[in-house]
Amino acid sequence: MAILPAATLAQTVQERAPAATARPAAPRAGAPAGIVDRASTDTAQAVRVVLGLTVLALLPALLVCVTSFLRIIIVLSMLRHAIGMPETPPNPVLIGLALFLTLFTMSPVLHKVNQDAFQPFMDGAIGMQPAYTSASQPLREFMVRQTREQDLALMVELSKAKPPQSMEEISNVQLIPAFMLSELRAAFQIGFVIFLPFLLIDLIVSSVLMALGMMMMPPTTVALPLKILMFILVDGWALVLKALVGSFH
C-alpha cells in the first residue's frame, strides 16, 4: 500500500472535517412537544367523559327535581288508585309513559341544553363553568314558569336569605324546591278532579246496594267494572294525557 505524503494527508483531513460537523445533532432527552400536547388533550377528553358519566348517574335525581316528570307520575298514580286498581297498570308501564310525556313537554328545553351546553362541552369548545351556566338557564326559565310566587317566597324565607330583587338573584337551591312544591300542588289539584267522577260512581253503587238490601256485597265488586267501562267510553287515557301535557306553561 502506497504511503501518502504529509501535505496530501493534511488536505484530506481538512476536506472531511466540514462533513463531520454538518451531521445533525442527536435529539435531546425528553418528550417532544407533540407528545405533550397529545397527552394534555387526552386528559381533557377523559375529564369530559368522567363528567358526562357523572351527569348520567345524577340523571334520575335531575329528572324528578327539575323536569315535568314529578307532576305526571303523581297524576298517573292517583288515577290508578281512583279507578280502584292499585297495581294496574304496573309501575314500569306508568314510569315509561311518564318518561315519554316528560320528553314531549321538555323537548324544547332539552334541545336547547344539548345545543348550547352539552355538545360544545363534549367537543371542548367551552369549559365547565360556561357549560353549567348555559345548561341551567333554559331549565331555570322552565321552572320559573311553573313555580308559584308563594312557593318561591316560602323557600326564600326558609333559607333566611335576603329578599331577591330579580329572578337572577334567586339561587337554584331556592328555585328547585319551590318548583317541586308547585308541581306537587298542581298534581294534587289534577288528581282531585280525576277522583270526583269515580267517587260519584262509588256513592251511587253503594246507595243502590243499600236500597236493594244487599249490604253484605262489597260495593267495589260492582263499582270497579262500572268505573272501567266509563273510563273506556269517555276515552279517559287520552283526556288525562292531553290535560297533563296542556297543564305546563
Side-chain angles (χ1 to χ4, degrees):
M1 183 176 63
I3 300 176
L4 297 175
T8 306
L9 181 61
Q11 183 178 2
T12 304
V13 171
Q14 290 179 357
E15 290 176 352
R16 293 181 178 180
T21 57
R23 294 176 182 176
R28 296 182 179 181
I35 298 179
V36 175
D37 294 340
R38 191 182 307 112
S40 61
T41 303
D42 294 341
T43 302
Q45 186 66 26
V47 171
R48 295 188 188 95
V49 171
V50 170
L51 291 176
L53 294 176
T54 303
V55 171
L56 291 178
L58 296 176
L59 190 59
L62 295 175
L63 181 68
V64 174
C65 295
V66 300
T67 67
S68 58
F69 180 82
L70 180 62
R71 182 190 305 187
I72 295 172
I73 193 63
I74 290 178
V75 171
L76 294 179
S77 300
M78 294 182 72
L79 171 63
R80 183 173 62 178
H81 284 277
I83 294 175
M85 297 184 296
E87 301 298 331
T88 307
N91 289 331
V93 175
L94 290 187
I95 292 175
L97 184 59
L99 286 174
F100 277 102
L101 291 180
T102 303
L103 181 63
F104 295 155
T105 56
M106 299 290 298
S107 57
V109 178
L110 296 178
H111 176 72
K112 193 169 183 181
V113 169
N114 181 68
Q115 182 179 2
D116 297 345
F118 186 72
Q119 288 299 332
F121 176 74
M122 295 303 294
D123 295 339
I126 59 177
M128 185 186 305
Q129 185 62 33
Y132 172 77
T133 304
S134 300
S136 61
Q137 187 61 34
L139 288 173
R140 283 176 59 90
E141 293 176 358
F142 173 79
M143 289 188 289
V144 167
R145 290 196 302 268
Q146 316 302 324
T147 306
R148 299 191 315 151
E149 294 183 4
Q150 297 90 328
D151 298 331
L152 194 55
L154 174 62
M155 291 303 159
V156 173
E157 180 182 355
L158 292 178
S159 65
K160 298 181 180 179
K162 183 176 64 176
Q165 303 299 323
S166 62
M167 293 303 301
E168 286 74 16
E169 297 181 6
I170 298 176
S171 64
N172 292 332
V173 178
Q174 299 167 348
L175 179 59
I176 292 177
F179 166 74
M180 295 180 68
L181 188 59
S182 299
E183 289 295 285
L184 288 173
R185 178 185 175 88
F188 274 77
Q189 287 177 342
I190 298 173
F192 174 75
V193 176
I194 291 175
F195 258 95
L196 287 179
F198 298 106
L199 178 60
L200 181 60
I201 292 177
D202 287 333
L203 292 176
I204 293 175
V205 170
S206 299
S207 301
V208 171
L209 291 178
M210 288 289 291
L212 295 176
M214 305 173 64
M215 292 176 292
M216 299 301 295
M217 181 176 228
T220 55
T221 305
V222 180
L224 182 57
L226 294 178
K227 290 178 183 179
I228 297 176
L229 178 62
M230 182 202 71
F231 195 68
I232 293 174
L233 291 177
V234 300
D235 199 7
W237 285 111
L239 291 177
V240 172
L241 299 187
K242 184 177 180 179
L244 269 176
V245 175
S247 65
F248 293 97
H249 310 318

